Amino acid sequence: MKKSNIIMGVTFLIAIGMIAKAFILNEDVKVFLLIFFAVGTGLGLLRLFVNSSIKKMKGKGWKSKVLFFGVLLGLGLPFQSWFRNNVLLSIDSAYLMSSIIIMVVGVLFMTTCFGYISNKINTKSVTE
């Protein structure tokens, strides 16, 4: 079994376990866990998009590379600053650690899940 499949399974079980525990015990953090898992999966998809865009930059002119990274940093840095200052620093400290953990789990899960799906599609198209 591949490492990516193991990571995908473990992160999925961690996410389901944390969310199920919060709902079963009726903890107040359950809404934050759902939101931060969604944010984490979105960040995982954004990471995959940016990585594939960077790979496509080979052979492009330096102006298009500068424009791409300028737009990337122009959009990414203000969003990161807003997220850190208005979301993470204003959240109750009792919810902060579990929210960050579920966000990282969401990033890892989406990255490995998308890789698994793309490998299955590529394998299927090669065999046909």
Side-chain angles (χ1 to χ4, degrees):
M1 185 176 262
K2 294 169 73 173
K3 289 182 199 177
S4 61
N5 293 348
I6 294 171
I7 292 171
M8 184 176 59
V10 168
T11 55
F12 181 72
L13 290 176
I14 289 171
I16 293 298
M18 287 180 72
I19 293 170
K21 176 188 165 268
F23 274 95
I24 290 170
L25 298 178
N26 199 19
E27 297 173 347
D28 293 334
V29 74
K30 61 187 167 193
V31 174
F32 290 106
L33 291 179
L34 293 173
I35 291 170
F36 276 82
F37 185 71
V39 168
T41 56
L43 287 173
L45 287 175
L46 180 66
R47 178 181 169 272
L48 291 170
F49 170 73
V50 168
N51 285 347
S52 68
S53 296
I54 289 172
K55 287 179 186 175
K56 293 176 185 175
M57 285 286 150
K58 293 182 180 179
K60 303 271 184 180
W62 68 272
K63 290 179 185 178
S64 62
K65 291 178 184 179
V66 168
L67 179 66
F68 173 76
F69 285 107
V71 169
L72 187 65
L73 291 174
L75 294 175
L77 290 178
F79 177 76
Q80 180 187 10
S81 177
W82 169 82
F83 186 76
R84 181 179 53 247
N85 293 330
N86 294 345
V87 177
L88 290 180
L89 294 178
S90 66
I91 195 171
D92 187 12
S93 61
Y95 305 150
L96 187 61
M97 185 56 70
S98 59
S99 297
I100 290 174
I101 289 171
I102 199 79
M103 187 171 61
V104 170
V105 165
V107 169
L108 290 173
F109 173 72
M110 188 52 68
T111 302
T112 54
C113 181
F114 200 86
Y116 175 78
I117 292 169
S118 65
N119 283 342
K120 285 292 184 184
I121 291 172
N122 289 339
T123 304
K124 187 176 181 180
S125 65
V126 168
T127 57
E128 291 179 354

